[in-house]
């Protein structure tokens, strides 16, 4: 059975560059063949600031947006977050999406394709790695960093990956596969 990866677009703001980068990585992951990768856009779920009355651990969701998000998160064996940097941090949409569910994230690995200015979103990814560990996720040391992504879009706004993006992506996928395979036994146990 093929492992399922979700490439998640974490920015929800208008005019974002994340979808172009995420589309590239999702296609790259599918071509690699270690995972069946699905592109997921947080904006499609329209999650308001956390508004469930019960703790996420109970999984007693009352809102349709939460039920849809829970089903999506639960379906994957691993995640790659395509994440920008806002003021040295991940976007609020990312943190909010993490907070909505709990058990669905447990014992799954994740990686980061970060983007931003000269830092390439690394500060955002480093903080995000701390956040995901509280959900019993395993963040990968390997990641993809995209500096100045607006300079890497063609005339159709399609992200043009460089050799180092592909090399970093391959290394991250190799590690994700190892962890996703190993952690399946914990989730099934």
């Amino acid at each position: 059975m093929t492992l399922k990866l979700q490439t998640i677009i974490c920015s929800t703001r208008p005019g974002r560059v994340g979808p172009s980068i995420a589309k590239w990585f999702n296609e790259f992951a599918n071509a690699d063949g270690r995972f069946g990768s699905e592109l997921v856009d947080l904006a499609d779920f329209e999650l308001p600031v956390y508004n469930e009355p019960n703790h996420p651990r109970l999984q007693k969701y009352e809102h349709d947006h939460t039920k849809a998000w829970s089903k999506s998160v639960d379906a994957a064996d691993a995640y790659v977050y395509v994440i920008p940097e806002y003021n040295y941090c991940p976007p609020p949409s990312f943190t909010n999406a993490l907070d909505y569910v709990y058990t669905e994230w447990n014992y799954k690995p994740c990686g980061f394709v970060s983007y931003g200015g000269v830092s390439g979103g690394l500060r955002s990814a480093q903080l995000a790695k701390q956040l995901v560990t509280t959900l019993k996720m395993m963040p990968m040391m390997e990641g993809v960093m995209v500096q100045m992504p607006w300079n890497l879009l063609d005339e159709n706004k399609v992200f043009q990956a460089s050799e180092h993006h592909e090399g970093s992506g391959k290394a991250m996928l190799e590690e994700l596969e190892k962890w996703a395979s190993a952690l399946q036994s914990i989730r099934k146990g």
Side-chain angles (χ1 to χ4, degrees):
M1 186 168 134
T2 303
L3 293 166
K4 185 171 180 186
L5 175 71
Q6 287 184 346
T7 300
I8 302 177
I9 304 166
C10 294
S11 173
T12 59
R13 72 173 182 80
R16 60 204 167 129
V17 70
S20 182
I21 299 167
K23 186 173 187 290
W24 160 74
F25 187 82
N26 188 64
E27 290 171 359
F28 180 81
N30 277 316
D32 179 78
R34 295 171 207 276
F35 293 92
S37 185
E38 168 191 20
L39 190 59
V40 175
D41 190 345
L42 281 182
D44 292 342
F45 291 88
E46 298 182 349
L47 297 171
V49 173
Y50 187 73
N51 69 345
E52 285 289 335
N54 298 299
H55 191 284
R57 182 174 272 165
L58 300 174
Q59 294 182 300
K60 292 182 180 179
Y61 307 128
E62 293 188 6
H63 302 293
D64 289 340
H65 56 261
T66 310
K67 292 173 186 174
W69 180 236
S70 170
K71 184 178 178 183
S72 177
V73 172
D74 197 44
D77 297 302
Y79 311 94
V80 167
Y81 300 108
V82 179
I83 191 167
E85 181 173 301
Y86 295 174
N87 302 317
Y88 289 27
C89 295
S93 51
F94 169 76
T95 306
N96 190 49
L98 290 180
D99 289 344
Y100 258 93
V101 297
Y102 177 75
T103 305
E104 296 86 340
W105 297 117
N106 292 175
Y107 307 112
K108 296 177 183 178
C110 62
F112 293 88
V113 174
S114 64
Y115 61 95
V118 71
S119 77
L122 282 178
R123 296 171 294 213
S124 171
Q126 285 304 109
L127 184 55
K129 288 177 182 182
Q130 293 177 40
L131 293 171
V132 299
T133 62
T134 65
L135 298 166
K136 299 183 182 180
M137 296 177 75
M138 180 62 195
M140 300 297 98
M141 181 186 76
E142 295 76 11
V144 180
M145 177 195 66
V146 180
Q147 294 175 297
M148 313 295 189
W150 45 88
N151 294 333
L152 302 173
L153 301 177
D154 69 12
E155 63 278 354
N156 297 314
K157 305 283 187 197
V158 175
F159 177 68
Q160 301 300 302
S162 298
E163 189 176 318
H164 69 276
H165 297 128
E166 293 176 356
S168 297
K170 182 174 173 28
M172 183 172 63
L173 287 169
E174 287 173 1
E175 288 300 304
L176 275 170
E177 180 188 32
K178 291 174 190 174
W179 282 96
S181 296
L183 291 173
Q184 269 187 328
S185 61
I186 295 175
R187 291 197 316 274
K188 291 179 182 178

